[in-house]
Amino acid sequence: MKTLIVEIIEPKRLGELVTVSKEFCDTPDIVALGAGDVPGVYNKAWQTEETISANLVPAIAELIQKEEYQVVLFSASTVGAGLAGPVAAKLSASVVSEVIGIEPDLVVRRPMYGGKAVATYKITATPAILTIRRKYFEPAELEGTTAAETLTIAEPLVSLIAEKQEKSEGVPLEDAEVVVSGGRGMGGPDNFSMLQEMAEILKGAVGASRGAVDEGWAAPTLQIGQTGKIVAPGVYFAVGISGASQHLAGIANAKCVVAINKDEEANIFKRARFGIIADYKKIMPALNNVLREE
Amino acid sequence: MGRIPYWNISYGILIDAFAIPFVALFVYGMYRWWKLIRQGRARIRPDFPGKLGPIYLRALFTKGILGTKIYKKPYTGIAHGCLFWGMVLLFIGTALVFLNVLFGVPVFNGIFNRWFMSFTLDLAGLAALGGLLFLLIRRGFFSPERLTVPKERNGFISIVILLGLILVTGFLAEAARIAYNGTDPGAFVGNWLAQNTPLAHLAAGSITPDVIAGTWFPPLFGDTQGWLVFHQYMWWMHGLLALAFIAYIPYSPLVHVVLAPVNAALADPLPGPKMGVMDFSSFEDEEAEDTPPLGAAKLTDFTYKRLIDYTTCLWCGRCHEVCPAAQTGKTLSPKGVMVTLAEYLQQGKLEDESLVDAVSSDAVFSCTTCAACMEACPVCINQPKTIMKLRQHLIMERSEIPELMGKAHSSLELRQHPFFGTGAGQKDWRKDLEVPIFEAGKTEYLLWIGCSVTYEERAQKIAREMVNILDHAGVSYGILEEARCTGDPAKQMGNEFLFNELAEQNIEEFSELGVKKIITLCPHCYNSFVRHYSKLGGVYEVTPHSVFIKVLMESGKLNLTKSTKTICYHDPCYLGRRNNILDEPREVVSSIGELVEMPRNRRESFCCGGGGGNYWAEEEGTRINQVRTREALDTNADVIATACPFCLLMITDGSKKFTEEQKAFDIAELVSMQLKDD
Amino acid sequence: MHIAVLAKVVPDYEVPAGDFELSDNRAHSRYTRMMGLYDENAIETGVQLKEKYSASLTIISYGAEDDIPVLRKAIAMGAEKLVLVTGQSDDASVIAANLKMAIDNLGDVDLILAGQQSADMDRGVVHGTLAEMLGLTFIPQVSKIESENGGWKISQLTETGSRDLQFNGKGVFSITSIPENVPRIPAVRAIFAAKKKPVEKVAEVESNAMGIEEVSVEIPTMDSVCEFLPVEDVGETVKTLLTKLREERYL
Ligand SMILES: Cc1cc2nc3c(=O)[nH]c(=O)nc-3n(C[C@H](O)[C@H](O)[C@H](O)COP(=O)(O)OP(=O)(O)OC[C@H]3O[C@@H](n4cnc5c(N)ncnc54)[C@H](O)[C@@H]3O)c2cc1C
Ligand code: SF4
Ligand code: SF4
């Protein structure tokens, strides 16, 4: 099936879409957004520096129509979310967003109800437009580059006035994909630096239980739970935290909880995906060592 | 020989004439208060046995006139009692003199003169002076924090000086009279003064009367004899100051002399702040033009009883001293709230809506509605009701609520329970447990589970153990298929509207099922049912589980073994102070172990910190639950028992700071542990 | 200025995973119905704009009549009226076509706001589709909106930070949640007033669905069973942990 990838030039993001495209074709075509070389090998490549979805819609829809693509892949990101609906409507295409699994014959899977259910769809009419959820497909290694033709964009409707990049250090706790939290089991304020180090390496943030906040070992702004911040990271490391329900209320949407606790009965293990029954003072330095080496 | 009234005083009757303007001043002053207070809203007075019009007679006599509450602080209480009752007796004495002058009532004869007019009145004067001195020294040198936080009331010194002068001039006038006329049997103070002070010399002529008279006391009405002149001075000063005192009452903190009994007489003696339910029908009504204020934004939104509260408040700070919020560094002080409102009232700012901000929303929301302040207040002020009215305004009119409480509030609005983010489903608590569902016409008791027990893991245990107890005793009970909340948290957060919605929903289901008797696990549910559902048309026979267990025990349906554990019982505010259920839980505890009391117990119990929606609060300052748990642990009891799921959760959390052991249990858990298998 | 906010009523999105069950491939009907999480942010944003620019505000919803009481809350937050297109489709294109019909009926709408994604399907497609059907500009993940010289100044959240955009004309924005648009609690008076505000019910129009067949919906088996990692060799333990986390794409 003739497949088009539309994505910002960023190797990991491109790589993931290339991986997905292999389900449909040998080599996809690409519209690469942004400046610079287009990494990877494609049949055909177009490029534009425009990254505002609204300005891209007409050109991309036109291209899909002209080239008769059957599958179009975006990532489930700001640009992808901005393109999928309008492009689909322009072309009367079928769109499935936030795809996390692909099966043969245009059968795709996506989560709903906040991940509490997963739906499987069969797409019966092309073009099929899919937005792919990040971190579900192993990014393909992109070798070499492909020379790209310029995609002409009509007079832009929306103009960019300013762009702010969040500093990668000090990710806000609520937004962090990795949260390393310490509880009363930390035994004192000093060892929070271990958590800090790990959070820094993983570009995450440090959190705390109320136990630790109560003891004055962590700032109240770091408290996670019912009376603190509600977080939904990909991984939540609970270090020396017993897992009281009020604490768990704050991590209900964490995807994976790793618990490090020396008490095998601790409630946190009921919520955890991975558990390590040990003194954190042994585990944390080892973890940081391995992470640092990588 | 009897005493002669107005002895040595010419035109003595003038003092009675002078009384007229002074009393007029008094009346005018009181009228000014009345005018202010009248601007409050009328209130609905519930019926109560022993009530005369709006007046609760018993409270009027005990708390109002006898001032029984003052004696909870024995030293201050006795000092105040001496001063007050001393003054009352002296006033009676004066009134008798007046009766003697006008109608010749023979008060100056025989033993009545000796033992009442002389002895008792001297004693009264001495007591009053002693009380005054104590209060002066305490305030001057050992002033407790409660008097000065957030500020001290003006007027104390002038009152002390005034009262002191009245008493001293009275004694001196008496002594001068005695010095001249000879000992007056019974008047031990006067006699002593006449014999042991310069007065004696005055009378004996060893000091030239004229010297003193000439320099200090220019003769009055033609009398020249120094001690007679001195007597006249003292007499007139005494009389005029006493009149001034009466006139001063409405313009000073003394106003409480009048208002405290009034306030006591008007205070509904049911324990707790008695929030009542709100009527929203005028909002539904298309025609209605005037909709009532929701809560209170300004003084005129309060009932006149509240305005009397603010006028009566002594600023004594007894409430501040017992308030869990004030004692743990929150912005709230019930006295502070009273002070702010009293000042607004005094400044005539009755329509000023900056009131809530002057109190501060932080303060308004940190009240746990524990009612400890009410319990401590000597003059029957209902502080929590004022605070809750302000809170109602914040949430219902301004939509203001602290962030976390707001989350619980919106969960309550959306899901009919406040436990946002709970990991528990409706049926989790009864997993692997067979619990009968209430069947119309068949089941006797509805076992009401409530929100915390349904959705909070630790609290779920209470229901499981209660089910075990009921099964053991063979009670006919059932639960509702769907778990819900009574709405109490909404009410505590100030949203009466949401409360009514939830309550009406429950009442409807209860009537469909024909529910008549309810067992509650949570005192908040209990309180809602008996106090508020009844006003919305849902009248049931409601029994808190602690009481129900006691009844089962007494009727021999529970086969219990007594353990050797020492058990410290924490009174939940909504069971103890607010509903006077103090003995039953203790009897239950005593029958399964050895009851231990904390220093603050029964009606003086200290809140766990979880009330008033503050279970969902980011506490500033010390945590209330840790303070209470520390107090419980200090008794060295083996376990801490309570009879409220919120208390259980708060104390469980509080104990984590001090021990790794599980210390806190619900009374049902403890009883269930002691059930003998038969 | 006339602002329309799209709102969808969904089953409780906070039902704990352990208590979640399906019937007919959808969340069981026993769950409480409520406004979608982001939709509330969108309504709040709409109300703020209304207050700032003295605009009028209409709530538009596609769904069931039973949901009107829930939608009244949106009115109570500060809207003038509610338009409900009654229908049951879950197809993004059908929903968009019906919303378009409602907007066309209103005639004078300048700005359309919608929650970033619905709290049941978690899809985030309808608003973009609708924009294109209306021929309007679509901007996703908008956090702030200001009207400026007849156009709009918008902040958009992206994966790496934020962007300030500017454009003239009418648009459809999907709204994300930020501290500034935490939904307000409607005042009690507003709740009563909302009961008296008009609710316009419109029957659904025929429209083509997308070529997508739903094959199945399943509840993923939650392997919430904790996997305990052996701790004999700590170095090994942490390596296993990291490998597993990466394998399952948590890291
Ligand atoms: C109304 C209310 C609201 C609350 N809100 C929150 C909230 O928002 N957030 C919150 O976190 N809590 C909250 N709590 C408190 C909650 O109930 C718990 O008390 C708190 O979470 C306990 O913190 P902890 O797990 O750090 O401490 P603990 O429960 O004391 O647990 C410490 C753990 O560390 C382990 N440990 C000890 N030493 C080591 C070691 N060397 N290595 C590894 N493990 C070790 C122990 O085995 C234990 O499991 C709230 C409570 C209430 C009542
Ligand atoms: S009810 Fe309790 S918390 Fe509230 S003011 Fe009174 S003592 Fe303080
Ligand atoms: S409210 Fe009562 S206890 Fe509090 S300061 Fe006033 S008089 Fe004293």
Side-chain angles (χ1 to χ4, degrees), chain A residues 196-210:
Chain A
Q196 187 63 48
E197 182 176 354
M198 175 162 170
E200 264 162 34
I201 300 174
L202 293 172
K203 298 207 173 37
V206 172
S209 76
R210 182 157 133 181

Side-chain angles (χ1 to χ4, degrees), chain B residues 216-521:
Chain B
W216 291 346
F217 301 101
L220 279 180
F221 309 120
D223 282 306
T224 47
Q225 267 187 296
W227 35 271
L228 285 180
V229 174
F230 177 77
H231 172 260
Q232 287 167 354
Y233 267 96
M234 288 306 121
W235 192 92
W236 281 105
M237 254 168 83
H238 179 71
L240 291 172
L241 283 171
L243 289 175
F245 174 79
I246 292 177
Y248 190 47
I249 287 176
Y251 306 95
S252 69
L254 285 171
V255 70
H256 79 271
V257 178
V258 181
L259 288 182
V262 171
N263 210 38
L266 295 175
D268 181 347
L270 260 185
K274 299 162 286 275
M275 295 306 299
V277 292
M278 244 182 213
D279 177 11
F280 289 92
S281 55
S282 60
F283 290 88
E284 298 271 15
D285 189 352
E286 300 272 345
E287 248 82 288
E289 294 194 347
D290 246 1
T291 45
L294 300 172
K298 50 186 192 301
L299 283 171
T300 50
D301 292 341
F302 287 102
T303 58
Y304 67 76
K305 168 66 171 74
R306 294 286 83 69
L307 302 191
I308 302 177
D309 277 355
Y310 315 145
T311 321
T312 313
C313 175
L314 314 161
W315 301 21
C316 72
R318 291 189 186 206
C319 52
H320 177 90
E321 230 172 29
V322 296
C323 170
Q327 290 308 309
T328 54
K330 318 285 185 285
T331 359
L332 171 68
S333 155
K335 171 188 167 188
V337 175
M338 291 302 119
V339 167
T340 308
L341 273 73
E343 287 181 337
Y344 266 63
L345 189 65
Q346 203 150 28
Q347 293 157 13
K349 298 199 277 194
L350 280 114
E351 299 289 342
D352 193 333
E353 298 210 359
S354 65
L355 189 68
V356 189
D357 305 296
V359 174
S360 102
S361 121
D362 268 359
V364 168
F365 278 104
S366 37
C367 172
T368 70
T369 69
C370 71
C373 48
M374 283 186 84
E375 187 64 30
C377 181
V379 292
C380 299
I381 286 171
N382 188 340
Q383 308 88 331
K385 193 156 184 177
T386 291
I387 297 170
M388 287 307 290
K389 285 278 157 196
L390 295 172
R391 192 182 283 191
Q392 288 172 359
H393 168 73
L394 286 176
I395 174 91
M396 287 196 285
E397 299 270 27
R398 293 209 212 161
S399 301
E400 258 182 64
I401 186 167
E403 198 181 325
L404 280 158
M405 213 187 272
K407 279 203 160 120
H409 176 273
S410 59
S411 175
L412 200 51
E413 212 173 23
L414 296 174
R415 316 183 168 87
Q416 285 88 47
H417 74 75
F419 287 83
F420 62 93
T422 174
Q426 290 228 349
K427 297 177 186 161
D428 272 15
W429 73 268
R430 53 183 158 115
K431 233 188 280 170
D432 333 308
L433 206 64
E434 224 169 282
V435 186
I437 303 291
F438 188 93
E439 284 177 80
K442 285 196 194 147
T443 316
E444 186 179 0
Y445 287 98
L446 170 69
L447 177 62
W448 174 261
I449 306 299
C451 61
S452 52
V453 177
T454 306
Y455 295 106
E456 218 311 17
E457 220 177 277
R458 173 69 188 90
Q460 289 174 349
K461 199 90 194 313
I462 303 174
R464 296 174 68 87
E465 301 308 334
M466 192 62 196
V467 160
N468 183 31
I469 294 170
L470 295 174
D471 285 342
H472 180 101
V475 176
S476 157
Y477 74 98
I479 58 166
L480 293 186
E481 182 82 58
E482 238 182 82
R484 264 199 239 109
C485 168
T486 45
D488 169 82
K491 201 176 183 81
Q492 293 190 42
M493 292 173 197
N495 194 337
E496 295 282 329
F497 172 67
L498 185 55
F499 171 79
N500 283 14
E501 269 194 335
L502 294 166
E504 278 156 12
Q505 202 178 338
N506 287 326
I507 291 173
E508 198 181 303
E509 187 171 0
F510 291 175
S511 7
E512 270 168 30
L513 287 171
V515 171
K516 295 207 175 62
K517 301 179 181 176
I518 305 177
I519 306 168
T520 57
L521 299 174

Side-chain angles (χ1 to χ4, degrees), chain A residues 94-106:
Chain A
S94 311
V95 47
V96 180
S97 61
E98 308 273 350
V99 170
I100 59 167
I102 311 266
E103 281 158 40
D105 299 325
L106 279 177

Side-chain angles (χ1 to χ4, degrees), chain A residues 184 244 246, chain B residues 456 458-459 608 625-626 629 633 640 642 644-666 669:
Chain A
R184 194 176 270 123
Q246 295 94 344
Chain B
E456 218 311 17
R458 173 69 188 90
C608 70
N625 60 345
Q626 289 173 356
T629 311
L633 292 173
I640 308 166
T642 185
C644 167
F646 285 96
C647 292
L648 177 70
L649 294 167
M650 295 303 287
I651 294 177
T652 301
D653 173 58
S655 64
K656 288 203 171 145
K657 188 174 168 70
F658 309 115
T659 166
E660 284 188 9
E661 252 180 283
Q662 184 179 353
K663 280 284 190 181
F665 294 89
D666 186 83
E669 293 180 280

